[in-house]
């Protein structure tokens, strides 16, 4: 299938893990990574790939039409895996503009360029466009219910970030319907693992704990997320990109529903073992004012990808969380030693 892949946002958390995964699994593929290196992207995240001949990094904006057209013709792109996005809910609540520019406009530029390029080559139905989406597009679930989002759950985004992702998903679907493009979408739950930006929950808990600072938790700490180890997500994307049905959507979950307080406690237990002190790190946990419109619970029903593509997560939450905490402690020791 596709041999020349455009991966967007490859200096960010999930896509940098995905690039490492793909370069190992498909050494014959050419991978082009476009990333604007916003505050969230880090060149160091893909340093290991930089030396490989079949990897190319381009610093640029996905909404830059001329640049995207140049990349398609220069590298003869036949597949797009689209991760690039403004991704932090809190920032979208403060200022929505960058979210519309990157997440909606940027997606439209990629779609339009892919359509034109593949149409010219007679590859409209074979070139694949994979949209990486989030379970947040479905809205929120109640703490008391055991309901989960499935692929038929209507979109009901509650904050500007999820609204911009929902808008992008709709554009992707429309390009499949209108022009016959070979599009597929996947929505995953919260990812965790190495290389996540400092501002997200797990790195925030670890870095504050290591510095002896208060560990801030929103509201009563009881908001629930379903945690998915990033490498399990990468395997799911690989399967969906290669074998998923055109125009279909696949949910990907970790099967690890945890409230923020439970998660913070687990991280503190691991840190108490790795970095024992006079007091438990748990004493640093502090509740702060709640996030505006804070969705109470997300959980996904991922039976479709399990039943049709044979995927399941391979990393237990205990193992994944231990590996993750160890990775951040190691990084922290490198910068402080
Ligand atoms: N992190 C999660 O738990 C999670 C869960 C479900 C879905 N997702 C989705 O996965 C994707 C990746 O998320 P992440 O957490 O790795 O994000 P991230 O913030 O770590 O990385 C995003 C990357 O995109 C780049 N970028 C942003 N705007 C750009 C633009 N206009 N042009 C080029 N590059 C641009 C940034 O520089 C950064 O490297 C996003 O689409 C997000 O919606 C994330």
């Amino acid at each position: 299938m596709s041999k020349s892949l455009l991966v967007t946002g490859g200096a960010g958390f999930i896509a940098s893990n995905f690039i490492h995964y793909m370069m190992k699994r498909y050494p014959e593929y050419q991978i082009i990574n476009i990333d604007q290196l916003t505050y969230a992207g880090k060149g160091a995240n893909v340093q290991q790939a930089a030396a490989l001949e079949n990897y190319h990094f381009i610093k640029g904006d996905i909404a830059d039409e001329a640049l995207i057209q140049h990349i398609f013709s220069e590298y003869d792109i036949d597949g797009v895996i689209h991760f690039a996005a403004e991704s932090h809910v809190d920032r979208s609540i403060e200022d929505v503009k960058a979210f519309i520019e990157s997440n909606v406009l940027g997606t439209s530029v990629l779609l339009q360029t892919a359509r034109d390029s593949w149409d010219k080559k007679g590859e409209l139905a074979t070139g694949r466009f994979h949209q990486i989406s989030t379970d947040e597009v479905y809205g929120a679930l109640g703490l008391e219910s055991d309901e989960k989002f499935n692929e038929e759950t209507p979109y009901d985004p509650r904050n500007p970030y999820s609204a911009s992702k929902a808008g992008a998903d709709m554009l992707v679907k429309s390009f499949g319907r209108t022009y016959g493009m070979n599009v597929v979408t996947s929505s995953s739950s919260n990812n965790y693992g190495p290389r996540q930006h400092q501002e997200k929950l797990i790195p925030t808990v670890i870095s504050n704990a290591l510095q002896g600072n208060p560990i801030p938790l929103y509201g009563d700490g009881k908001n629930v997320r379903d945690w998915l180890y990033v490498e399990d997500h990468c395997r799911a994307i690989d399967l969906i990109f290669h074998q998923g049905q055109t125009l279909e959507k696949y949910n990907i979950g970790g099967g690890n529903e945890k409230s923020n307080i439970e998660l913070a406690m687990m991280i503190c237990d691991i840190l108490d073992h790795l970095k024992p002190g006079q007091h438990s790190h748990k004493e640093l946990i502090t509740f702060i004012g709640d996030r505006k419109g804070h969705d109470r619970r997300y959980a996904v029903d991922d039976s479709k990808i399990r039943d049709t593509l044979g995927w399941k997560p391979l990393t237990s939450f205990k193992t994944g969380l231990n590996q993750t905490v160890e990775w951040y402690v190691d990084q922290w020791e490198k910068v402080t030693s």
Side-chain angles (χ1 to χ4, degrees), residues 12-14 35-36 38 41 61-62 83 87 102 133 161 165 191:
F13 165 46
I14 304 176
D35 196 299
Q36 199 177 12
T38 67
D61 183 352
I62 52 165
F83 295 87
S87 69
S102 289
S133 188
Y161 160 68
K165 292 294 291 184
N191 284 219

Side-chain angles (χ1 to χ4, degrees), residues 140-153:
L141 298 164
L143 275 188
E144 287 73 32
S145 86
D146 53 6
E147 207 191 334
K148 293 184 174 188
F149 302 126
N150 63 42
E151 288 82 358
E152 308 308 320
T153 304

Side-chain angles (χ1 to χ4, degrees), residues 168-185:
D169 291 4
M170 291 298 160
L171 277 170
V172 171
K173 203 166 171 184
S174 78
F175 270 65
R177 292 245 162 86
T178 311
Y179 307 108
M181 266 176 83
N182 178 8
V183 299
V184 70
T185 300

Side-chain angles (χ1 to χ4, degrees), residues 79-90:
V80 177
I81 305 174
H82 176 33
F83 295 87
E86 287 293 334
S87 69
H88 193 41
V89 175
D90 288 351

Side-chain angles (χ1 to χ4, degrees), residues 17-29 31 48-49 52 54 231 238:
N17 282 286
F18 181 71
I19 288 174
H20 288 121
Y21 167 90
M22 290 294 277
M23 306 250 18
K24 214 192 260 175
R25 179 144 163 79
Y26 302 101
E28 72 280 17
Y29 282 15
I31 294 202
Q48 275 166 276
L52 301 172
N54 54 338
E231 202 175 294
D238 174 12

Side-chain angles (χ1 to χ4, degrees), residues 34 114 220 222 294 330:
I34 179 172
D220 58 8
K222 290 189 182 152
H294 201 176
D330 193 48

Side-chain angles (χ1 to χ4, degrees), residues 45-65:
N45 281 348
V46 270
Q47 210 169 14
Q48 275 166 276
L52 301 172
E53 256 176 37
N54 54 338
Y55 169 80
H56 308 272
F57 176 73
I58 294 154
K59 180 177 185 297
D61 183 352
I62 52 165
D64 178 343
E65 244 178 286

Side-chain angles (χ1 to χ4, degrees), residues 94-336:
E94 293 306 315
D95 185 6
V96 72
K97 193 162 171 252
F99 287 74
I100 302 303
E101 285 170 355
S102 289
N103 303 4
V104 184
L105 185 64
T107 303
S108 76
V109 168
L110 289 167
L111 283 164
Q112 230 162 302
T113 311
R115 182 199 67 190
D116 293 347
S117 162
W118 295 339
D119 195 22
K120 258 190 228 145
K121 296 191 289 176
E123 292 174 3
L124 201 54
T126 52
R128 169 139 275 198
F129 192 103
H130 185 156
Q131 162 75 353
I132 304 298
S133 188
T134 163
D135 60 357
E136 298 197 27
V137 295
Y138 298 120
L141 298 164
L143 275 188
E144 287 73 32
S145 86
D146 53 6
E147 207 191 334
K148 293 184 174 188
F149 302 126
N150 63 42
E151 288 82 358
E152 308 308 320
T153 304
Y155 276 26
D156 186 19
R158 307 290 182 98
N159 57 60
Y161 160 68
S162 52
S164 68
K165 292 294 291 184
D169 291 4
M170 291 298 160
L171 277 170
V172 171
K173 203 166 171 184
S174 78
F175 270 65
R177 292 245 162 86
T178 311
Y179 307 108
M181 266 176 83
N182 178 8
V183 299
V184 70
T185 300
S186 54
S187 281
S188 85
S189 57
N190 277 42
N191 284 219
Y192 71 103
R195 304 192 189 90
Q196 188 164 29
H197 192 273
Q198 187 59 47
E199 67 191 356
K200 301 289 171 65
L201 180 61
I202 290 181
T204 297
V205 171
I206 300 170
S207 73
N208 282 297
L210 288 172
Q211 292 171 79
N213 292 335
I215 298 170
L217 289 186
Y218 280 132
D220 58 8
K222 290 189 182 152
N223 296 58
V224 170
R225 301 293 181 259
D226 171 9
W227 292 93
L228 169 67
Y229 193 58
V230 66
E231 202 175 294
D232 283 325
H233 189 192
C234 293
R235 276 191 308 104
I237 297 169
D238 174 12
L239 269 177
I240 296 166
F241 177 76
H242 287 101
Q243 295 174 36
Q245 293 293 308
T246 299
L247 267 171
E248 289 290 318
K249 177 162 204 212
Y250 298 85
N251 284 349
I252 312 162
N256 299 304
E257 281 191 51
K258 301 277 176 256
S259 68
N260 292 344
I261 182 73
E262 267 180 283
L263 177 66
M265 295 284 207
M266 288 176 82
I267 294 171
C268 288
D269 279 336
I270 299 171
L271 285 172
D272 287 348
H273 177 69
L274 291 176
K275 297 261 163 204
Q278 276 187 324
H279 302 280
S280 166
H281 293 89
K282 286 177 190 161
E283 292 179 24
L284 297 168
I285 293 175
T286 310
F287 296 100
I288 58 169
D290 209 354
R291 166 191 273 170
K292 285 193 188 98
H294 201 176
D295 291 342
R296 208 55 173 150
R297 174 176 162 255
Y298 303 138
V300 303
D301 171 353
D302 56 13
S303 46
K304 178 170 170 180
I305 183 175
R306 287 174 185 257
D307 296 346
T308 60
L309 299 180
W311 174 88
K312 61 175 184 195
L314 296 179
T315 313
S316 73
F317 192 60
K318 189 166 179 268
T319 305
L321 196 63
N322 268 299
Q323 284 170 2
T324 303
V325 176
E326 280 166 15
W327 188 87
Y328 286 100
V329 169
D330 193 48
Q331 295 297 304
W332 189 74
E333 282 174 347
K334 276 185 193 142
V335 293
T336 51

